[in-house]
Amino acid sequence: VGGDGIRLYESAQPTLTNSNIYQADWPIRSYSWNALPASLEGNTYGDATHYGIRLESPSIPQDESMTWRVYADGLPYSPSGGVDIGANATLTLEPGIVVKLDDNQSIGVHGTLDAQGTATAPILFTAWTDDTDGDTNADGTDTEPAADWWNSIYFHDGSSGTLTHCQIRYAGYWEEAAIVVHGSAAPTINYCEIAYVGGDGIRLYESAQPTLT
């Protein structure tokens, strides 16, 4: 393919089963915040430049809501640039999802981040050089994940969220912390694992009062 296997625009939600996508740039690339496959099952993805679902417009607009699904095929999500969750917007991540962040990028929360994994299906936030759940940058072992790759999950003043059974790895590039909580933000962080950070696990500013259990 001289490009991507499948491109999605606007609110497209195709169902893809038992198909083969070979020699593409990305198997699936979305150009709209609300365009994702309804189902991916029984497909094969071979000899691609990258592996995963590339999100070119990953930010959630103000007052909107979106769910990033877990698919039977297990493709990780790869946002292009940072993810911004607007005021009064909600991004929900399903248990077992893998999100691989680009270099020096953040998940900025102005609304609500709902990331509730389970003990058997944790949610993973990691670097795109991490080959967990597939070699997203398709370079074999040429690059290895390391601290300071991506920035942080940043809860801005007035935001909210729940992180349960989340694994957060290789963050800390600019904020020098994996999670930053600012002002009146008061996220709940339960049963999470924060590791390989270029700085602190959690940083608090002003009157921030997260709940950590």
Side-chain angles (χ1 to χ4, degrees):
V1 179
D4 303 312
I6 297 174
R7 283 189 175 181
L8 307 180
Y9 295 91
E10 297 180 352
S11 57
Q13 297 188 43
T15 295
L16 182 65
T17 59
N18 303 317
S19 299
N20 300 315
I21 300 177
Y22 286 95
Q23 296 183 350
D25 187 1
W26 288 91
I28 299 170
R29 191 193 302 247
S30 169
Y31 280 88
S32 301
W33 66 270
N34 59 349
L36 282 176
S39 177
L40 296 172
E41 186 170 1
N43 305 293
T44 56
Y45 312 92
D47 196 21
T49 306
H50 303 95
Y51 176 78
I53 301 171
R54 185 64 164 176
L55 304 177
E56 295 294 344
S57 298
S59 295
I60 313 304
Q62 181 175 338
D63 299 321
E64 299 287 355
S65 62
M66 184 61 183
T67 297
W68 290 1
R69 305 180 180 98
V70 171
Y71 298 103
D73 286 354
L75 290 176
Y77 284 72
S78 175
S80 174
V83 179
D84 188 78
I85 303 170
N88 299 314
T90 299
L91 175 60
T92 300
L93 306 183
E94 291 186 345
I97 197 170
V98 176
V99 180
K100 297 188 178 184
L101 281 301
D102 285 356
D103 187 20
N104 192 26
Q105 300 303 319
S106 294
I107 298 175
V109 186
H110 299 271
T112 300
L113 174 61
D114 185 10
Q116 298 188 54
T118 68
T120 56
I123 291 170
L124 175 60
F125 300 94
T126 189
W128 95 316
T129 52
D130 184 354
D131 290 345
T132 300
D133 206 40
D135 185 6
T136 299
N137 59 353
D139 69 346
T141 58
D142 288 349
T143 55
E144 298 290 338
D148 282 348
W149 176 262
W150 60 286
N151 194 350
S152 66
I153 300 174
Y154 197 116
F155 290 94
H156 292 269
D157 186 23
S159 67
S160 63
T162 301
L163 303 178
T164 302
H165 287 292
C166 291
Q167 299 172 354
I168 304 169
R169 303 175 184 169
Y170 308 115
Y173 181 84
W174 182 257
E175 299 294 339
E176 297 182 341
I179 299 174
V180 177
V181 186
H182 192 276
S184 63
T188 298
I189 303 167
N190 298 315
Y191 302 105
C192 289
E193 174 189 285
I194 301 171
Y196 315 116
V197 182
D200 303 316
I202 301 173
R203 278 195 179 181
L204 310 180
Y205 293 95
E206 296 183 351
S207 57
Q209 297 187 42
T211 297
L212 182 64
T213 61

